[in-house]
Amino acid sequence: MTTDQSAEGYSFEDIQLIASNVLKQTRHKPSIGIICGSGLGGLADIVQDAETVPYSSIPEFPVTTVKGHEGKLVFGYLEGKPVVLMRGRFHYYEGYPMWKVAMPVRVMKAMGISTLIVTNAAGGLNENFKTGDLMILRDHIDLPGLTGECVLIGKNDDRFGPRFPAMVGTYDSELIELAKETAVNLGYSSILREGTYIMIGGPSFETVAESRLLRNWGADAVGMSTVPESVVAKHCGIRVFGISLITDMCSLSYDAANATTHEEVLAIGEKRAGDLQKLICAMIGNMNLNNN
């Protein structure tokens, strides 16, 4: 392992070694990676022929410190497709540098995944949204990246991806269309949205003024994750699908301001998680893994 990861991050060889160590702990070889957001880890409970690898058993792997994020990889099958789920992700606000937040995506790539599904709990900024909606990510705004904390800052190894990757089309258009068709078939049209997700550093929730600013920038939902993982996935050639569960509506008016709590986010996640799980499972069942 590199001796000074705070300066250099993980090398290509580090990632290969971590992936090799993980694969030694499971019989499965995944093609689809799924990152479960706050309160959405229940998807792992329906994985068939499941094998669990705790983060703590993986050398050089971070550990999650947030309630609602258990901290384990779950291997197995969903709808007959080989998958690996992150039941618990890492966040910048936990004190991890950006390159460590997104490191598991590089490990999943080294394990053989070609498709990444990223879920999150998010606050609604679009006045037409409501709590409990599901928002497909059409695009994102990388606020930390725009202010000097891009996940790709540092030395670039071309074996990971190009020095200056284009981020247009980060979220795969065919997967977006598949999700929309699947949602209609499941009867979810009334709760399905599509929009732009903006990432803030956290862990503090937005003030009214900040929410107004983010909305004026064109964001439909706001959260504290997803973007670093999506950027790294795009960088290394993984197709990405992202979806947000709108667990609260951000206050855009001082007259109707409400204070969001993490407990409320988890409660809404638990209430709507079943619908999101059905959507993702149905999508996976109809997914063409040869379409990279």
Side-chain angles (χ1 to χ4, degrees):
M1 294 294 168
T2 52
T3 57
D4 186 7
Q5 291 179 347
S6 65
E8 299 181 20
Y10 295 89
S11 71
F12 185 83
E13 289 76 18
D14 291 339
I15 295 297
Q16 300 300 312
L17 181 57
I18 294 170
S20 176
N21 286 335
V22 173
L23 289 174
K24 289 176 182 176
Q25 301 185 56
T26 177
R27 296 173 285 109
H28 300 296
K29 188 69 183 299
S31 296
I32 301 170
I34 304 171
I35 301 177
C36 301
S38 295
L40 301 175
L43 188 64
D45 295 331
I46 59 175
V47 172
Q48 297 176 324
D49 194 22
E51 291 182 331
T52 299
V53 179
Y55 297 165
S56 58
S57 73
I58 307 170
E60 300 298 328
F61 213 80
V63 294
T64 184
T65 64
V66 181
K67 183 179 179 181
H69 293 260
E70 289 193 16
K72 60 183 69 172
L73 296 176
V74 179
F75 293 84
Y77 294 89
L78 284 175
E79 300 297 318
K81 307 286 174 61
V83 300
V84 56
L85 286 79
M86 283 187 69
R87 192 163 189 172
R89 57 151 49 96
F90 311 115
H91 303 83
Y92 184 59
Y93 62 74
E94 293 177 81
Y96 292 121
M98 284 293 187
W99 52 262
K100 185 168 282 191
V101 167
M103 175 271 281
V105 175
R106 296 204 191 282
V107 173
M108 286 192 281
K109 171 72 173 182
M111 289 193 293
I113 75 157
S114 57
T115 300
L116 180 68
I117 297 174
V118 190
T119 73
N120 62 62
L125 293 165
N126 188 318
E127 299 90 335
N128 295 318
F129 290 3
K130 62 182 182 298
T131 298
D133 282 347
L134 301 175
M135 187 192 83
I136 295 171
L137 273 63
R138 171 63 69 176
D139 206 348
H140 71 235
I141 299 171
D142 183 1
L143 185 55
L146 294 175
T147 55
E149 287 290 342
C150 178
V151 67
L152 299 179
I153 283 178
K155 296 179 181 178
N156 187 71
D157 189 324
D158 290 339
R159 291 174 291 180
F160 285 135
R163 169 74 282 186
F164 300 106
M167 285 295 119
V168 173
T170 295
Y171 301 96
D172 187 87
S173 59
E174 292 190 8
L175 291 179
I176 290 173
E177 291 307 312
L178 175 61
K180 291 160 73 172
E181 293 172 10
T182 303
V184 170
N185 292 336
L186 290 172
Y188 293 169
S189 299
S190 63
I191 63 171
L192 191 70
R193 311 295 183 194
E194 187 175 345
T196 297
Y197 174 95
I198 189 168
M199 179 193 173
I200 61 172
S204 55
F205 289 106
E206 312 77 30
T207 66
V208 172
E210 288 165 347
S211 295
R212 289 175 174 178
L213 176 66
L214 301 180
R215 181 63 183 140
N216 286 337
W217 281 348
D220 298 289
V222 56
M224 304 171 189
S225 66
T226 299
V227 172
E229 297 128 322
S230 296
V231 169
V232 165
K234 172 71 170 171
H235 181 241
C236 63
I238 298 172
R239 62 176 182 163
V240 185
F241 173 77
I243 190 164
S244 297
L245 171 57
I246 305 301
T247 52
D248 63 282
M249 292 301 298
C250 299
S251 298
L252 297 171
S253 168
Y254 292 103
D255 295 332
N258 60 287
T260 302
T261 68
H262 188 59
E263 287 69 27
E264 290 172 340
V265 169
L266 294 177
I268 294 296
E270 182 177 349
K271 182 177 180 181
R272 185 64 83 183
D275 294 331
L276 182 56
Q277 290 170 19
K278 289 178 184 177
L279 175 61
I280 290 176
C281 286
M283 278 186 65
I284 290 174
N286 293 317
M287 198 175 287
N288 179 7
L289 295 183
N290 294 319
N291 184 14
N292 295 315

